[in-house]
Amino acid sequence: MGTAVGGGRAVPRYVQIADDIVQQIRAGVLRPGEMVPSESELVERYGVSGGTIRKAMVEVRASGLVETRHGKGSIVKDRPPVRHRSSDRFRRSHRQGGKAAYLAESAQSGATAKVSVLYIGPMEAPEDVADRLGVEPGTQVLARRRLYFRNGTPVETASSYLPWDVVKDIPELFAENPGGGGIYARLEDHGHEFAEFVETLQARSASKAEASELALSPGAPVVHLVREALTTEGRVVEVCDTLMAADQFVFSYRIPATD
């Protein structure tokens, strides 16, 4: 049979098989580092054709839980998620303690984190970024682009854009390592006290280039997060455009119920 009927809708057999394999991974039946059974084994197990199994594996790879190695097959990823505590990850106490948010969160999850700086320098502000910073499109800003790794695997890209008049007298912001507490600590050192951070998230599928950069399967889910850092004077002094492998992060928010 090619489909099954459930809830009034026919579910393709390859989707059922893909869901079963994904559930095995999430339940720990298939553990990180283990190989997913071969196509011939899955054909025998599920009693379907090789074509059906190949379609099922496309769906499994799209989940972001496995990676395909040439000549070896698919292996379950060893990438436990980091809890992204957006309600308190930018507390001043963390910066004063010399902890950048990503490194602190990764350490709490027991992972080894690394940050690779891809670019630091002047750039013309893209239209969306310029609008958020309150400047004209094409205005020169400082761009800082990073690639974040956990346990040797890329999991996140982030591009920060900062107004040139703010950064031109802060030499640390032009260095690969801006010092303990990251760029927010250096901004506050120079009088830019933060009042709040505003984040906008969107879930979508990775483009081909994004999937390649983050070592994801084609079409794997990602989270696009844009953050604005506002000072007590009401000025946005940084826009951070971030792309995150969706299976790598758990977002946690604390929302007040009173004024």
Side-chain angles (χ1 to χ4, degrees):
M1 289 179 60
T3 61
V5 177
R9 186 174 66 174
V11 179
R13 181 61 173 146
Y14 73 89
V15 173
Q16 290 182 314
I17 294 170
D19 287 345
D20 186 48
I21 295 172
V22 166
Q23 289 306 313
Q24 289 180 51
I25 294 172
R26 290 181 172 161
V29 177
L30 288 172
R31 299 179 179 277
E34 290 185 353
M35 302 299 298
V36 175
S38 67
E39 179 180 316
S40 60
E41 290 175 306
L42 293 174
V43 164
E44 182 177 353
R45 177 180 301 177
Y46 292 104
V48 296
S49 68
T52 298
I53 293 301
R54 286 189 289 274
K55 291 173 70 175
M57 287 307 301
V58 169
E59 300 293 318
V60 173
R61 286 190 290 273
S63 72
L65 298 174
V66 304
E67 59 183 331
T68 301
R69 296 182 179 177
H70 183 67
K72 292 187 177 180
S74 296
I75 188 170
V76 179
K77 292 180 180 179
D78 183 11
R79 296 166 62 165
V82 161
R83 186 164 295 278
H84 184 91
R85 295 181 176 86
S86 291
S87 297
D88 64 3
R89 69 194 305 255
F90 296 118
R91 286 186 183 275
R92 185 168 290 109
S93 59
H94 292 334
R95 296 192 293 278
Q96 292 173 342
K99 298 178 181 178
Y102 173 79
L103 297 178
E105 288 173 338
S106 293
Q108 289 169 1
S109 74
T112 301
K114 187 184 90 170
V115 181
S116 177
V117 176
L118 305 179
Y119 175 79
I120 301 175
M123 179 179 289
E124 292 184 358
E127 185 173 351
D128 178 61
V129 170
D131 182 61
R132 292 173 182 271
L133 288 175
V135 300
E136 291 295 320
T139 299
Q140 180 173 283
V141 296
L142 173 66
R144 295 179 57 92
R145 178 167 170 77
R146 292 92 67 201
L147 180 60
Y148 293 84
F149 293 82
R150 188 159 62 255
N151 295 338
T153 300
V155 296
E156 174 184 343
T157 63
S159 297
S160 289
Y161 303 93
L162 303 98
W164 196 261
D165 66 297
V166 170
V167 304
K168 61 184 177 63
D169 296 321
I170 310 178
E172 296 95 333
L173 296 184
F174 293 81
E176 286 197 14
N177 183 356
I183 65 174
Y184 292 158
R186 299 293 79 73
L187 285 164
E188 288 202 314
D189 287 346
H190 288 77
H192 303 284
E193 183 179 348
F194 290 107
E196 65 177 348
F197 300 88
V198 179
E199 295 185 336
T200 303
L201 294 85
Q202 178 186 15
R204 60 174 174 80
S205 297
S207 69
K208 185 175 181 180
E210 291 167 346
S212 176
E213 188 168 40
L214 291 176
L216 299 171
S217 301
V222 291
V223 174
H224 184 200
L225 184 153
V226 179
R227 181 173 61 253
E228 298 175 16
L230 288 88
T231 67
T232 53
E233 297 178 348
R235 183 177 183 184
V236 177
V237 294
E238 186 229 20
V239 172
C240 187
D241 191 315
T242 303
L243 194 73
M244 314 166 83
D247 66 320
Q248 291 305 289
F249 297 89
V250 175
F251 295 89
S252 177
Y253 294 89
R254 184 175 61 250
I255 303 173
T258 58
D259 293 337

